[in-house]
DNA sequence: TGTTTGACCGGTC
DNA sequence: CGACCGGCCAAAC
């Protein structure tokens, strides 16, 4: 198999960002799925850290990343004027009680959807 | 430099 | 279903 994303990427955060930005509108993925795609060597927690640092990356739709249950666990890290749920619903994602509805349908697995990142 | 914490995950009880 | 534990790695203290 080809290298994860690109060998030019040295920083784990950069790798996470590249995956997250590719999440289609109206779709969601999980921290673990991203970690898994990156080789599961870093652990899902690091993805969370990457998101924490993603504030300096406006291009990174962190709201499309939820935990394995489809729960908006990181919503408290979003600006009050633009909550995580609001951004997701604006993309057509239905959410009830911080829970993404039809999570199994909207789930976007990078290891399955991404074929080539050298675009 | 050692300990704690973290937007997590999977398994166990 | 809720609580707990070990693992994973990096940043903060």
């Amino acid at each position: 198999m080809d290298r994860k994303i690109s060998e030019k990427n040295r920083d784990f955060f950069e790798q996470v960002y590249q995956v997250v930005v590719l999440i289609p509108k109206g779709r969601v993925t999980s921290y673990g799925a991203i970690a898994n795609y990156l080789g599961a060597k870093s652990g899902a927690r690091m993805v969370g850290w990457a998101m924490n640092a993603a504030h300096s990356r406006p291009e990174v739709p962190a709201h499309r990343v939820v935990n394995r249950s489809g729960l908006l666990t990181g919503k408290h890290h979003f600006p009050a004027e633009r909550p995580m749920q609001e951004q997701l619903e604006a993309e057509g994602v239905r959410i009830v009680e911080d829970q993404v509805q039809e999570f199994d349908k909207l789930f976007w697995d990078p290891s399955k959807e991404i074929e080539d990142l050298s675009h």
Side-chain angles (χ1 to χ4, degrees), chain A residues 28 92 94 99-107:
Chain A
V28 293
R94 293 183 297 106
Q99 171 69 50
V100 176
Q101 302 302 292
E102 299 180 299
F103 179 61
D104 57 329
K105 292 183 180 178
L106 299 179
F107 184 71

Side-chain angles (χ1 to χ4, degrees), chain A residues 46-96:
Chain A
M46 302 307 91
V47 179
W49 266 107
M51 293 293 96
N52 188 27
H55 290 285
S56 58
R57 296 284 198 285
E59 299 298 309
V60 180
H63 60 277
R64 293 177 187 156
V65 183
V66 298
N67 75 344
R68 66 176 180 200
S69 313
L71 210 58
L72 279 54
T73 54
K75 70 172 187 174
H76 293 298
H77 290 258
F78 282 78
E81 61 270 17
R82 198 68 182 176
M84 189 177 189
Q85 178 174 338
E86 182 178 313
Q87 295 191 49
L88 284 171
E89 290 181 330
E91 297 180 354
V93 179
R94 293 183 297 106
I95 300 173
V96 178

Side-chain angles (χ1 to χ4, degrees), chain A residues 16-56:
Chain A
V16 174
Y17 297 149
Q18 289 196 33
V19 175
V20 175
V21 297
L22 292 178
I23 302 174
K25 177 184 176 184
R27 303 291 295 282
V28 293
T29 190
S30 70
Y31 303 94
I34 296 174
N36 181 46
Y37 173 72
L38 296 179
K41 58 184 187 304
S42 300
R45 288 185 149 182
M46 302 307 91
V47 179
W49 266 107
M51 293 293 96
N52 188 27
H55 290 285
S56 58

